[in-house]
Amino acid sequence: MTHIFCALSFLLLQADVDPGAAAASGPTGGSAIVEMLHNSGPVAMAVLGLLLIASLYSWSIILGKWSSFRRAAAQSKRFLRAFRKAGRLQEIAAVSEQFKPSPLVNVFDEVYETYRRQTGGYGPPKNVIAIERAAQTASSESLTVMEEKLTWLATIGAISPFIGLFGTIMGIVDAFHGLGTAGAATLRAVAPGVSEALITTAAGLIVAVPAVVAYNQFTARCREFGSRMDDFSRELLNSMEELSLKPNQDPMEREAARGLHQ
């Protein structure tokens, strides 16, 4: 990249600036960008079009993931409050669909379904290891869903600068070609190629930066949700293990333990 900017600087230093040409260089600001786009060649327009498609796709992923993660975080807090206030697992199972955006619900549903297959919904779990495996499987599946399409953000963030760099190289080639055609090192001869080089470089960075930032943030949120699911799995399993019937347990305590699972 340093060599590219050195080449651009060399072209600008070698070009003779004509005051009349500079005065007639045209509009400035936003209209200047429009003018540069209008004068861009087919290669530059293809690069910009590809970057535009990548940008729109990355922003659709960013907005979709941001909304889904926000809902998942809010519903997880509500679900935990309901779980800790409930007196029986059956109560949570009956209302779990209300908190469905939360990944904790998937963990609870899988664990509760495994528990029901073991006990029919009554009494302590017969195989805690099987329930632990069910919780791990549900956590893994939920994380897989949450991480869906994040690799596209990483890909767009990684390749967009190189796509822009391709446009930069082709712009420099066009600038050198303009010098050879004009036969004199004037600013008007190199300006189209230099403008193409700069605008494609800027476009590549504009597309890449939001994608990289969003990928890092969403990856961190996925790790956070993974930790929350692990903590909830342990909390759920602990609540079940505390209800394990002991040989010398009082009959009244046994009935109370059964009542929590009903």
Side-chain angles (χ1 to χ4, degrees):
M1 184 67 74
T2 303
H3 299 293
I4 299 297
F5 286 108
C6 288
L8 291 176
S9 302
F10 172 76
L11 289 173
L12 293 175
L13 289 175
Q14 292 297 320
D16 296 326
V17 179
D18 184 4
S25 57
T28 59
S31 57
I33 296 178
V34 174
E35 184 70 17
M36 285 190 293
L37 291 175
H38 180 72
N39 295 329
S40 297
V43 175
M45 295 302 295
V47 169
L48 292 176
L50 184 60
L51 290 175
L52 177 62
I53 294 173
S55 179
L56 292 176
Y57 186 60
S58 67
W59 275 106
S60 68
I61 296 174
I62 291 170
L63 295 177
K65 288 297 181 182
W66 177 81
S67 178
S68 63
F69 283 0
R70 183 174 59 86
R71 292 196 306 269
Q75 294 292 354
S76 293
K77 292 179 181 179
R78 293 182 55 201
F79 178 74
L80 280 177
R81 286 196 299 266
F83 173 77
R84 289 165 181 168
K85 289 180 181 179
R88 296 182 300 177
L89 295 178
Q90 188 176 3
E91 295 177 4
I92 300 299
V95 299
S96 63
E97 290 295 327
Q98 300 178 8
F99 312 99
K100 197 58 177 177
S102 171
L104 303 182
V105 175
N106 297 331
V107 176
F108 175 82
D109 289 343
E110 189 66 27
V111 170
Y112 185 70
E113 183 63 27
T114 303
Y115 165 76
R116 289 191 60 183
R117 287 198 298 267
Q118 290 183 8
T119 65
Y122 299 94
K126 297 179 180 179
N127 189 348
V128 177
I129 296 178
I131 294 179
E132 290 177 350
R133 291 173 179 171
Q136 293 174 358
T137 301
S139 298
S140 177
E141 291 176 351
S142 298
L143 278 179
T144 301
V145 173
M146 299 184 75
E147 292 173 350
E148 187 179 9
K149 295 184 179 180
L150 289 186
T151 53
W152 279 107
L153 288 180
T155 302
I156 292 172
I159 69 173
S160 292
F162 293 101
I163 296 176
L165 183 60
F166 174 76
T168 303
I169 294 172
M170 297 307 297
I172 294 175
V173 171
D174 187 43
F176 277 111
H177 182 266
L179 284 176
T181 303
T186 62
L187 184 61
R188 180 168 297 183
V190 300
V194 172
S195 65
E196 288 182 11
L198 294 177
I199 199 169
T200 53
T201 302
L205 294 177
I206 290 173
V207 174
V209 170
V212 172
V213 172
Y215 174 77
N216 291 333
Q217 292 297 318
F218 291 151
T219 302
R221 293 297 301 275
C222 287
R223 289 197 297 265
E224 179 183 351
F225 277 112
S227 299
R228 289 184 181 181
M229 284 186 285
D230 290 341
D231 293 340
F232 175 71
S233 299
R234 286 190 289 267
E235 182 177 352
L236 181 57
L237 292 174
N238 287 340
S239 67
M240 291 181 174
E241 289 178 352
E242 289 174 359
L243 298 174
S244 297
L245 301 180
K246 301 177 182 179
N248 57 351
Q249 190 174 21
D250 185 79
M252 296 297 295
E253 296 179 356
R254 181 180 292 107
E255 291 300 325
R258 290 180 179 274
L260 182 60
H261 284 277
Q262 293 177 355

